[in-house]
Amino acid sequence: MRKLLIPAFVLAASAGFAQEPAHEDGPGPNMVIEVAGSDGTAKGTITLDLLADKAPNHVARLVELAKSGAYDGVVFHRVIDGFMAQTGDVEHGKHDGASTAMAGTGGSDLPDLEAEFNDVSFQAGTVGMARAQDPNSANSQFFIDLAPATFLDGQYTVVGQLVDGWDVLTGIKKGDANANGAVEAPDYMAKVTIVE
């Protein structure tokens, strides 16, 4: 399983709202995500600056999966208001799949990655790799913070920062707080491209 683990006290305290992050676009590559609603209606675009200097193996994985089209159509299966939006389950999370009930439990057919913890703090707009309990179990799933989450520092690999599309990110359909953020009829990544 590739579920992001969250201490129970965090869910109770994650009702705050963050201001739009001000991260300058770095050398990239950039991941551009076209977000669509469950009915296919375009909601806008999110641009992530991937930090290859901080997590080279994880960024290479994201780039590989995006370029292969694996992320196209993958749902935001877990979205917790005031905390984060999670996506990237290319195995069980396809919008047009038979069911997304298993979304969040799969990965890709590529091997898991060893952690690349770094000195970047989890703030609003920070992109991290989701994993299971084993720190070396990240594969394809990632999350984007909707608010500061410094309790994740040194526990999850930071792979990028949002540089454009804060309004689109915060507009992604939220999940049920009583179901650990599980989203019914979730929004999804219609198309994911890499700009180098």
Side-chain angles (χ1 to χ4, degrees):
M1 290 185 138
R2 311 272 188 271
K3 292 188 176 181
L4 175 68
L5 305 174
I6 306 169
F9 72 88
V10 173
L11 294 177
S14 63
F17 296 94
Q19 294 182 336
E20 180 173 355
H23 178 77
E24 289 188 26
D25 196 359
N30 284 357
M31 177 184 277
V32 180
I33 303 169
E34 296 173 28
V35 178
S38 62
D39 62 357
T41 304
K43 296 186 84 170
T45 301
I46 294 168
T47 302
L48 307 175
D49 178 27
L50 300 180
L51 306 176
D53 59 328
K54 299 291 185 179
N57 296 325
H58 287 73
V59 168
R61 172 65 54 83
L62 293 176
V63 168
E64 179 180 0
L65 290 171
K67 285 185 173 182
S68 73
Y71 282 138
D72 296 350
V74 174
V75 299
F76 286 91
H77 64 272
R78 188 162 174 254
V79 185
I80 299 175
D81 195 19
F83 179 33
M84 60 89 212
Q86 186 174 340
T87 185
D89 184 345
V90 301
E91 182 179 3
H92 299 300
K94 290 289 187 175
H95 167 70
D96 58 359
S99 170
T100 57
M102 293 288 293
T105 63
S108 71
D109 57 3
L110 299 169
D112 289 347
L113 296 161
E114 288 195 25
E116 294 178 296
F117 300 146
N118 52 58
D119 60 355
V120 181
S121 181
F122 282 91
Q123 300 295 324
T126 300
V127 185
M129 291 296 286
R131 61 168 176 80
Q133 191 168 359
D134 179 354
N136 301 315
S137 62
N139 188 287
S140 66
Q141 292 188 48
F142 61 94
F143 59 94
I144 311 169
D145 283 329
L146 302 173
T150 56
F151 61 91
L152 298 176
D153 291 358
Q155 306 295 316
Y156 291 83
T157 299
V158 172
V159 295
Q161 297 282 350
L162 178 86
V163 292
D164 191 44
W166 177 248
D167 56 334
V168 178
L169 174 64
T170 56
I172 290 172
K173 185 176 180 183
K174 307 301 185 286
D176 181 352
N178 294 320
N180 201 20
V183 186
E184 187 174 331
D187 293 347
Y188 66 98
M189 300 187 290
K191 181 71 177 171
V192 181
T193 53
I194 298 295
V195 179
E196 307 217 36

